[in-house]
Amino acid sequence: MTGREDTGGLPATVDGILAESARRHPERPALTGRRCALSHAGFDALVSAVARGLAAQGLEAGARVAVYLGKDVEAVAAMLGAARAGGVFVPVNPVLKGRQVRYILADCAVDMLVTSPERWRALTESDAVPETVRRVVLTGTGPGEAASSAEEDGRLIGWEAMLAAGAGIGAGAGIGDAAATAAPRTAEDMAAILYTSGSTGNPKGVVLPHRSLVTGAASVADYLGLTPDDRLLAVLPLSFDYGLNQITSALRAGASVVLLDYLFPQDVAKAVAKHRITGLAGVPPLWMQLAGVPWPEDARESLRFFTNSGGRMPRPLLEKLRALLPNATPYLMYGLTEAFRSTYLDPAEVDRRPDSIGKAVPYAEVLAVRPDGQETAPGEPGELVHVGPFVALGYWGDPERTAQRFKPAPACSRTARPGELAVWSGDMVVRDAEGFLTFVGRNDEMIKTSGYRVSPTEVEEALYASGLVAEAVAVGVPDETLGQAIVVIAAPAGEASEPTDAVLAYCRRELPGYMVPSRIVWRESLPRNANGKLDRAGLAAGLAEGTRSRVKEIEA
C-alpha cells in the first residue's frame, strides 16, 4: 500500500517552508498568538531575527535549542529560528514537570533554552539545570529584567536583548535570510528532536531530519486540501508531531494558525467562532470533551474539517461530532513520532469502515508485514511498517533502541531504495481486500492514554521514588474517555497500609497529569514469573478478568 511519490520541488529545510510561503503570500495572515498577529512575511522576518540572535549567542551547527513554553508566537519563532540558524530545536511539552524537563535537557545536551521567567523559576527551584545549558533566553522580559530575575546566573538573557544582539548580523538579506546559518544545511540534516515515551524507562528523543518535517507538511496539506483561506486552531502541544505538523502544513499552504492554550473545552468552541476557524485537530479525550459543550452557531458554520489521531475515535463519539458539526468533514488518521504521519481514512469511506485507519498518506508506503518480512494476506494480522521520506534518523544517543525500531525495509516494499531503513512500528494491523488497514493492538507494553504514549516503567520509577511503594506494576486498561487508563498494582513499603492519598500526591507533584494513575490496586506482595520478574502479563490479565483483590477507586 503506497502513496509514495517523488518529493522533488519541496524546500530542503523546514524553515524554507516559511520562506516559500512568505514569497507567495507575503501579506496574508500566518500566525496569531496572545499578544500579536503576523503575516507570512512578518513571521519570516521574525524567524530570521531569532536566527541572527541565536547566532550572536554562539549557537553552532547541530547544537540543540530547547523550547519550553506554552503555545505562543515566540515558541514557534524560536523553533524555526533555531533551524534557520543551523541548530536543532527540541520542543518540550509545557505540561512536563521539572524532573522530566531536566532529563530532556541533559539527555540531548541542550546548548540553549528558551523559556519564560515563571517556568525558569519552577525549573530551578528544586534542582539545578544541567551545565550543558550554556544560555537561557527568557521571553516576556523587558531590557534588564532577565538579569535581575536571577543575578547570580550569567546564562540569562531576555528575548528582546537576544534579538537586539543579532540585529547587525546579515540584516537586510530579505526573505528566508540564512546569513546566520552556521553551515550549509541539507534535507538529511537534523532539524528537531521530539521526545516520546519508550517501552522502558525515560522518554527517548526521536531525531527528525528536515526532509521528514518538510514532506510531512506537504503530505498533510495535500490530503486535507489546505488553501490560503484556511484558518487552523492549534490546541495540541507543539511537542507532539501532530501538533507541530499543524504549523508546518499551514505554512506550506499559505494558510494561517491561531495558537491557543485553553483551560476549558468551551474555550476551544468559542475560539473557533471568534477566529472563523476552518480546521481543528484533536485526540479522542479532547473530542469527548468538545462533544459535551455548546458550540456557537458561527463555529458550527465555519469549521470545514476536523482531524483525529492519537487513538481510535469511538463510533458513538464520531456520530455525535458529525451531528454537532454538520459542515465539518472528519479525517481519521494514524501516525507515530518515528515516521511523523502514516495513514488517513478518506472521508468518503468513513461510513463504510469507521474503524479503519485508512491507507498511506501521500509520499509514504505503509505495509502489514509478517515476521518473515513478507506482506500479509488480507485478513491476516501483521506489523505496520512505514517506508519513505518521513522516517526519522533514529533515537538520540541510543543506537541499540534505534536498531530495534529502524530496520531495513522489508523485501515486499515496492518503493524502498537499496539500504533504505523503515520504521517497524510495533503496532499490529490487518489489511482488507481493498488495502484498508485496521489497528489491532501493540506488541509491547506501552500505555496509550489521552493521546500520549506512556512508559509503564517511567510511572513505576516515580512510585518507587516516593518511598511508599515496595513493588509496582503499571498497566493500561480500556477506558471510554482516555483510550486507556493507567492502573497500578502495588505493594506498600514497610508498615504502610494502602497509602493511596500520599502516593497520588507525590505523583501529582512529580509527573504530568496524564501519567498520574487513575486507580491503585494494593496487594501484600506481587506475583513473579519463572524468571523471577514481576508477572506483568498475569497481573494485567487479572485486571481484565476482574479477579483483582482490594481495589480503591480514586480520581486522577
Side-chain angles (χ1 to χ4, degrees):
M1 171 186 312
T2 178
R4 187 168 180 180
E5 300 91 6
D6 178 28
T7 58
L10 295 178
T13 63
V14 64
D15 60 288
I17 299 174
L18 173 58
E20 188 177 81
S21 72
R23 283 189 286 268
R24 290 185 289 121
H25 311 285
E27 301 306 319
R28 294 193 69 92
L31 205 61
T32 299
R34 287 175 297 169
R35 294 181 296 274
C36 69
L38 295 172
S39 66
H40 285 267
F43 184 42
D44 182 80
L46 175 60
V47 167
S48 288
V50 172
R52 293 191 295 269
L54 295 175
Q57 303 307 310
L59 183 70
E60 297 182 352
R64 274 70 62 201
V65 178
V67 181
Y68 182 42
L69 290 168
K71 285 188 293 295
D72 215 336
V73 169
E74 290 90 346
V76 186
M79 289 189 281
L80 294 182
R84 184 164 288 176
V88 177
F89 64 89
V90 184
V92 179
N93 194 329
V95 306
L96 295 184
K97 305 293 179 66
R99 171 178 171 172
Q100 293 86 32
V101 177
R102 287 189 293 271
Y103 169 79
I104 292 172
L105 298 179
D107 183 63
C108 64
V110 163
D111 179 62
M112 299 180 69
L113 170 65
V114 182
T115 189
S116 67
E118 297 78 17
R119 290 184 183 276
W120 174 251
R121 284 193 292 270
L123 188 59
T124 55
E125 65 183 1
S126 60
D127 206 346
V129 166
E131 293 183 0
T132 56
V133 180
R134 184 179 54 81
R135 205 70 163 139
V136 179
V137 180
L138 298 182
T139 62
T141 59
E145 287 184 49
S148 64
S149 65
E151 294 180 1
E152 71 281 3
D153 197 329
R155 294 181 289 182
L156 302 181
I157 186 173
W159 176 264
E160 296 296 334
M162 180 269 293
L163 295 180
I169 302 177
I175 289 173
D177 171 20
T181 299
R185 297 166 298 153
T186 72
E188 294 303 313
D189 286 337
M190 291 189 296
I193 302 176
L194 303 188
Y195 274 80
T196 180
S197 288
S199 55
T200 59
N202 287 308
K204 54 190 185 298
V206 179
V207 182
L208 297 174
H210 283 276
R211 64 164 160 76
S212 178
L213 298 175
V214 171
T215 52
S219 177
V220 175
D222 182 350
Y223 71 74
L224 291 181
L226 296 182
T227 75
D229 292 327
D230 276 306
R231 296 172 299 280
L232 309 187
L233 184 65
V235 298
L236 299 171
L238 302 182
S239 56
F240 270 17
D241 54 314
Y242 187 20
L244 177 60
N245 179 261
Q246 279 194 282
I247 306 294
T248 57
S249 58
L251 293 176
R252 166 68 183 170
S256 65
V257 179
V258 176
L259 302 167
L260 179 69
D261 278 324
Y262 67 94
L263 291 176
F264 305 104
Q266 54 264 38
D267 296 339
V268 176
K270 291 176 181 177
V272 171
K274 176 182 177 180
H275 298 282
R276 302 293 294 168
I277 296 297
T278 62
L280 181 62
V283 294
L286 175 59
W287 289 123
M288 192 78 72
Q289 293 177 318
L290 293 178
V293 301
W295 280 68
E297 191 60 33
D298 287 350
R300 301 178 71 226
E301 290 177 357
S302 71
L303 203 64
R304 77 167 183 86
F305 71 87
F306 63 88
T307 68
N308 178 75
S309 190
R312 185 181 70 85
M313 180 177 283
R315 290 193 197 186
L317 175 59
L318 176 60
E319 292 310 311
K320 189 171 184 179
L321 288 170
R322 294 175 80 183
L324 180 66
L325 306 169
N327 297 333
T329 301
Y331 286 83
L332 308 181
M333 311 183 303
Y334 163 93
L336 63 161
T337 307
E338 292 84 348
F340 214 67
R341 189 65 55 83
S342 294
T343 69
Y344 82 102
L345 182 64
D346 185 331
E349 298 289 339
V350 168
D351 288 326
R352 291 180 59 203
R353 38 173 64 88
D355 293 326
S356 173
I357 60 172
K359 296 182 179 182
V361 300
Y363 304 117
E365 181 185 22
V366 177
L367 303 161
V369 179
R370 299 185 184 123
D372 64 3
Q374 297 303 310
E375 192 168 15
T376 60
E380 179 186 3
E383 183 175 1
L384 186 146
V385 178
H386 179 120
V387 184
F390 301 173
V391 172
L393 299 176
Y395 300 124
W396 176 267
D398 197 336
E400 182 177 345
R401 281 202 286 189
T402 296
Q404 292 170 356
R405 186 69 75 205
F406 297 85
K407 296 183 286 189
C412 59
S413 170
R414 292 173 286 279
T415 67
R417 301 173 180 86
E420 184 173 352
L421 296 181
V423 175
W424 296 66
S425 70
D427 287 345
M428 303 303 291
V429 296
V430 169
R431 174 173 62 93
D432 69 15
E434 297 179 63
F436 288 89
L437 298 173
T438 299
F439 180 84
V440 175
R442 288 195 59 80
N443 60 10
D444 62 22
E445 296 160 342
M446 293 292 292
I447 301 169
K448 193 66 173 283
T449 182
S450 299
Y452 292 88
R453 290 194 301 175
V454 174
S455 163
T457 306
E458 191 171 1
V459 176
E460 291 155 10
E461 288 179 351
L463 294 168
Y464 291 135
S466 73
L468 300 168
V469 173
E471 295 180 319
V473 167
V475 298
V477 299
D479 183 273
E480 184 177 335
T481 301
L482 302 175
Q484 284 185 305
I486 300 174
V487 176
V488 169
I489 308 101
E495 300 300 320
S497 176
E498 301 191 3
T500 302
D501 293 341
V503 169
L504 288 174
Y506 181 86
C507 288
R508 291 184 180 114
R509 287 196 306 271
E510 297 297 322
L511 295 174
Y514 65 86
M515 282 191 188
V516 177
S518 62
R519 197 164 72 215
I520 296 179
V521 178
W522 292 105
R523 294 187 176 179
E524 292 182 4
S525 63
L526 271 54
R528 297 179 180 273
N529 59 27
N531 296 323
K533 297 181 179 180
L534 291 173
D535 187 5
R536 185 182 298 274
L539 289 165
L543 282 177
E545 295 166 7
T547 58
R548 54 191 184 268
S549 60
R550 299 165 295 161
V551 177
K552 183 172 183 180
E553 299 281 352
I554 55 91
E555 291 184 2

